[in-house]
Amino acid sequence: MVLIKTQRDTLLAPLQSVSGIVERRHTLPILSNVLLEKRGDKLTLLATDIEIQITTATDVAAGEGDGAVTVGARKLQDILRSLSDNAEVSLMLEDKRLQVRAGKSRFSLQTLPADDFPRMTLAEGETRQFQLTQKAFRQLLAKTQYAMAAQDVRYYLNGLLLLTEGKELRAVATDGHRLAFASVEIDADLPRQELILPRKTVLELNRLLADNDEPLAITLAPNQVRFAFGSVVLVSKLIDGKFPDYERVVPATLKNHMTASRTLLLQAMNRAAILTNEKFRGVRVVLGDNSLKLIAANAEQEEAQEEIEVQYSGDTLDVGFNVGYLLDVLNNLHCDDVQWSFNDANSSALVSVPGNDRFKYVVMPMRI
């Protein structure tokens, strides 16, 4: 029985959409697999790691009969990638093996029963739904996700806070040394609700979402969230924990304000960062009248100094920062100018976009 007969790209594109979450080594072997389910001329692909589930569908014109099977996601993806772009591929199930054929290439892959494949069900209880464009949500993630912690014992920091209130959706990430906040308007009027997306979910959404105005539907449930866009549906569990009160972290009053070209500042920081090292990423930021100096040194007594013109008429300041934290924010903003506000050398600084209160980035100073 020929299960599926189709063009290589018709199969590869949806497979790449779902296989990003598949772990190479897993306690449950079936979690390394992708579920292929054919009904009529529609093929559904599903992958999960128990915390996240991604489903997508594609039309396959040819192929006899219906059926379902699970097969190693990475192996099948590698096979399809290695074939020529216009190759015609057929998948056939024979004696618990999936036969993959294209031209004179033959592959026989081990399978596991489709009935054993774990599926997440959408949580019971009250759900709330709203829509925005894929581009708007992707930009919201881009402006905040770099500030997430990676492997912090405070597990709730290894994720991103999504908060709905009224007609606004906010995203907040912090690792305890810096905090990024961004917000966007949505098409619904919702009560205040907080949820923490796992880091892996955030990275996967960033990979899958397109930079266009196609719709993204978000459904909030008590302990999970569902994202539907294009032919993809991603369901994710949430991190159970209390996120820090970000409003207390953002400084209420700041007296020294500097405005600079984002590109000029980014280029100068990239150059100064060359002489920092992995263990010590510190740079000194020295502010005077309409002048900003960046000074970096390392253990070999090497030193870099950069000076750029800025708009500044406040106190003379000499503050140390982790240059990586500053490069992160400058690389992920898309604006001409940035504003950098300080009180003194010992308190946190605020990076913002002039005339835009929908983005804030707080960064702690460091001793140099």
Side-chain angles (χ1 to χ4, degrees):
M1 178 189 82
V2 175
L3 190 62
I4 297 157
K5 201 171 193 176
T6 187
Q7 293 297 309
R8 166 214 186 231
D9 285 358
T10 307
L11 200 52
L12 181 58
L15 182 60
Q16 285 175 324
S17 294
V18 300
S19 61
I21 60 166
V22 174
E23 303 286 356
R24 287 192 185 276
R25 289 188 177 83
H26 229 294
T27 46
L28 283 173
I30 202 163
L31 293 179
S32 300
N33 286 11
V34 59
L35 173 67
L36 304 175
E37 198 166 23
K38 182 173 176 286
R39 295 279 178 268
D41 61 358
K42 191 171 277 302
L43 175 70
T44 304
L45 295 90
L46 188 149
T48 183
D49 69 353
I50 302 296
E51 302 293 316
I52 311 168
Q53 174 178 291
I54 304 180
T55 315
T56 187
T58 183
D59 291 323
V60 285
E64 303 155 21
D66 294 344
V69 68
T70 84
V71 66
R74 296 287 165 88
K75 282 179 193 161
L76 183 57
Q77 184 174 288
D78 289 347
I79 288 167
L80 293 173
R81 272 189 184 147
S82 69
L83 299 172
S84 59
D85 291 358
N86 56 359
E88 187 173 76
V89 181
S90 69
L91 305 183
M92 199 182 323
L93 191 59
E94 280 179 2
D95 300 326
K96 297 184 180 177
R97 301 238 155 211
L98 188 69
Q99 309 296 335
V100 182
R101 296 179 180 178
K104 293 189 176 178
S105 303
R106 300 282 184 275
F107 302 90
S108 179
L109 300 177
Q110 193 179 9
T111 66
L112 288 167
D115 292 345
D116 296 346
F117 199 78
R119 294 173 187 245
M120 287 170 69
T121 50
L122 199 61
E124 296 293 317
E126 190 183 354
T127 61
R128 298 192 177 95
Q129 188 174 22
F130 60 92
Q131 277 197 2
L132 68 168
T133 65
Q134 290 189 46
K135 183 178 183 177
F137 191 70
R138 195 162 185 261
Q139 287 179 350
L140 193 73
L141 295 183
K143 287 175 183 168
T144 51
Q145 66 171 35
Y146 52 85
M148 291 187 293
Q151 290 176 315
D152 202 293
V153 290
R154 297 163 294 179
Y155 57 93
Y156 48 84
L157 297 186
N158 303 322
L160 181 121
L161 174 72
L162 280 186
L163 188 149
T164 59
E165 188 168 25
K167 295 191 171 184
E168 191 176 44
L169 173 67
R170 299 173 199 161
V172 186
T174 180
D175 60 6
H177 304 287
R178 38 61 182 283
L179 177 144
F181 161 94
S183 72
V184 67
E185 205 170 304
I186 53 174
D187 66 350
D189 196 347
L190 299 173
R192 186 180 174 99
Q193 184 175 350
E194 294 187 15
L195 48 107
I196 307 172
L197 287 183
R199 179 185 180 84
K200 189 173 176 182
T201 304
V202 174
L203 299 179
E204 205 54 34
L205 284 167
N206 192 52
R207 183 179 77 87
L208 291 172
L209 288 166
D211 209 8
N212 62 26
D213 293 329
E214 294 295 308
L216 161 69
I218 302 177
T219 306
L220 309 177
N223 60 354
Q224 63 179 211
V225 60
R226 180 176 181 266
F227 300 89
F229 50 98
S231 60
V232 175
V233 176
L234 186 153
V235 181
S236 171
K237 290 183 180 176
L238 300 172
I239 294 176
D240 186 18
K242 182 77 179 114
F243 203 80
D245 182 358
Y246 69 91
E247 287 170 324
R248 286 178 55 193
V249 176
V250 179
T253 53
L254 292 150
K255 58 180 182 178
N256 297 301
H257 305 283
M258 182 263 310
T259 306
S261 155
R262 182 187 69 87
T263 311
L264 272 182
L265 193 53
L266 177 60
Q267 289 168 346
M269 274 189 194
N270 272 321
R271 290 191 294 268
I274 294 167
L275 292 191
T276 62
N277 59 38
E278 289 291 313
K279 286 185 178 172
F280 188 74
R281 298 279 283 156
V283 292
R284 281 170 55 209
V285 174
V286 182
L287 273 168
D289 278 348
N290 293 327
S291 150
L292 179 143
K293 274 185 199 166
L294 296 167
I295 301 164
N298 60 27
E300 287 84 47
Q301 265 80 53
E302 296 168 329
E303 187 177 276
Q305 185 167 317
E306 290 283 335
E307 186 169 357
I308 60 168
E309 277 188 34
V310 295
Q311 292 174 35
Y312 183 73
S313 56
D315 302 340
T316 303
L317 284 173
D318 189 335
V319 197
F321 288 104
N322 179 322
V323 72
Y325 295 165
L326 301 177
L327 289 171
D328 278 345
V329 65
L330 294 174
N331 276 316
N332 285 286
L333 283 178
H334 300 284
C335 54
D336 294 332
D337 294 331
V338 292
Q339 184 169 304
W340 202 351
S341 305
F342 308 80
N343 272 329
D344 53 48
N346 301 311
S347 52
S348 52
L350 177 72
V351 179
S352 55
V353 178
N356 178 358
D357 62 357
R358 289 196 175 274
F359 174 80
K360 295 180 175 75
Y361 182 73
V362 182
V363 58
M364 299 288 289
M366 67 187 287
R367 291 184 186 279
I368 294 181

